[in-house]
Amino acid sequence: MSDLESRLAEVEAELARMQAEFEDLNLLYQATIEHGEAVEDQLAESNLELQRTQKRLTEELTEAANYIFSILPAPRQEAPRTEWLLEPSTELGGDSFGYHEIDDDHLAVYLLDVCGHGVGAALLSVTAINVLRSAALPNTDFRDPGAVLSALNDAFPMEKQNNMYFTIWYGVYRRSTGALRYASAGHPASVLRKVDGRVLTLATPGIAIGMMPDMLYRTAHSEVASGDRLHLVSDGTFEVETAPGEMLAFDTFVGRLSTSSSPAEVLDWVRSINGPGPLPDDFSLLTIAF
């Protein structure tokens, strides 16, 4: 074999090797493309499944929020009249309230605030409200606010409620005498604006419900007259920043609340202080006009 023939043979061998490598690379490329398409299909399916799950969860949260609002009492048109506003800071909050006739002479009014937000807080809030509304605390005189809070504390220890607790203000108005008996457990004071212009804050000592066993809560007394207005609030109604690091003073809030014409007016005022975006906590305000 001549040198030229030998060289041609080497070239042919090199071409054959390069062709084989090209075919291998082409197979690898095709496999990569097919795998990439499979990955894209899998990602697309996962994205659709995520969207379906988010849609289902959103629908369930909406249904839960609708249920929470459905158990709130309708505003009373007869004396004492009521007006209220509940604005959760997230889809589900921990605030709730109610009022109902205990008997022909006594009306119970109450507002509670469960620590935190979300499903767990909402469930505990609804459960506690239903217990009060149905008078489902054995051996308890629901005309005695202190006794009611002590019974609630026994019924809802935080170690059995996923370490959640709640604050509450509970009052009982007696029509025949104009007496208002009340008790609170770690809750902001209610604000009583007297018809003569005086403004009273009503609260009693006591830690939140569920934090410590065997707590005794004290019942306090006040008098209400025709034309008085009582405001039950959650801390989310006034715990907003007036400036970076500075919170709205409770006395300032009480002054504004006592001159308001409606809960919606108070909410607009608090929002003007808070600025754009949701409030940092649930806003709950229940007004009773005697």
Side-chain angles (χ1 to χ4, degrees):
M1 179 180 296
S2 65
D3 291 343
L4 179 57
E5 290 174 338
S6 176
R7 180 59 182 159
L8 287 173
E10 290 177 358
V11 170
E12 288 176 352
E14 181 66 17
L15 287 173
R17 185 186 65 76
M18 292 179 65
Q19 180 66 30
E21 287 185 358
F22 173 78
E23 291 176 354
D24 289 343
L25 288 172
N26 188 53
L27 289 173
L28 178 61
Y29 173 76
Q30 294 298 328
T32 301
I33 292 297
E34 292 175 0
H35 178 69
E37 291 175 349
V39 169
E40 288 181 358
D41 290 342
Q42 186 175 1
L43 287 174
E45 179 59 32
S46 296
N47 187 50
L48 287 173
E49 182 61 28
L50 178 60
Q51 292 178 7
R52 287 192 290 265
T53 300
Q54 289 177 329
K55 182 175 183 294
R56 176 175 57 80
L57 290 176
T58 299
E59 290 173 348
E60 290 180 357
L61 284 174
T62 300
E63 184 178 352
N66 290 339
Y67 171 73
I68 290 171
F69 274 90
S70 75
I71 69 170
L72 297 176
R76 288 174 56 95
Q77 302 304 319
E78 70 278 13
R81 293 179 294 104
T82 62
E83 188 177 4
W84 55 261
L85 196 153
L86 170 59
E87 185 84 7
S89 60
T90 59
E91 291 87 351
L92 293 176
D95 285 10
S96 193
F97 53 82
Y99 39 85
H100 66 270
E101 305 281 354
I102 299 175
D103 54 39
D104 292 341
D105 198 24
H106 296 85
L107 174 73
V109 295
Y110 39 89
L111 190 150
L112 64 85
D113 179 3
V114 177
C115 65
H117 304 91
V119 175
L123 286 173
L124 179 54
S125 179
V126 168
T127 302
I129 284 294
N130 282 333
V131 165
L132 291 172
R133 187 169 59 177
S134 60
L137 294 169
N139 304 317
T140 302
D141 182 359
F142 279 81
R143 297 167 298 181
D144 181 351
V148 171
L149 298 197
S150 295
L152 281 173
N153 190 67
D154 293 339
F156 292 96
M158 61 183 296
E159 61 270 18
K160 294 185 178 180
Q161 307 298 329
N162 197 29
N163 289 323
M164 291 188 297
Y165 56 87
F166 60 91
T167 67
I168 185 172
W169 193 98
Y170 180 95
V172 177
Y173 168 63
R174 187 174 185 182
R175 290 184 178 85
S176 60
T177 63
L180 176 67
R181 307 178 74 199
Y182 62 91
S184 57
H187 200 81
S190 291
V191 178
L192 177 63
R193 186 182 189 279
K194 304 291 292 180
V195 69
D196 60 11
R198 289 180 297 137
V199 177
L200 308 177
T201 53
L202 309 181
T204 60
I207 64 173
I209 299 297
M211 295 190 72
M212 291 184 63
D214 304 322
M215 291 294 298
L216 295 178
Y217 294 87
R218 181 173 63 86
T219 296
H221 304 259
S222 188
E223 299 294 326
V224 294
S226 178
D228 290 354
R229 290 168 65 89
L230 176 67
H231 306 280
L232 279 59
V233 303
S234 67
D235 54 14
T237 58
F238 59 87
E239 289 188 348
V240 295
E241 288 189 340
T242 57
E246 296 183 12
M247 303 299 292
L248 175 65
F250 184 66
D251 288 346
T252 302
F253 170 75
V254 168
R256 184 65 180 81
L257 176 64
S258 63
T259 60
S260 68
S261 60
S262 69
E265 182 182 307
V266 180
L267 176 60
D268 289 343
W269 176 71
V270 172
R271 277 180 169 159
S272 71
I273 298 172
N274 182 70
L279 296 177
D281 200 357
D282 302 335
F283 180 101
S284 296
L285 173 55
L286 167 60
T287 297
I288 300 100
F290 297 95

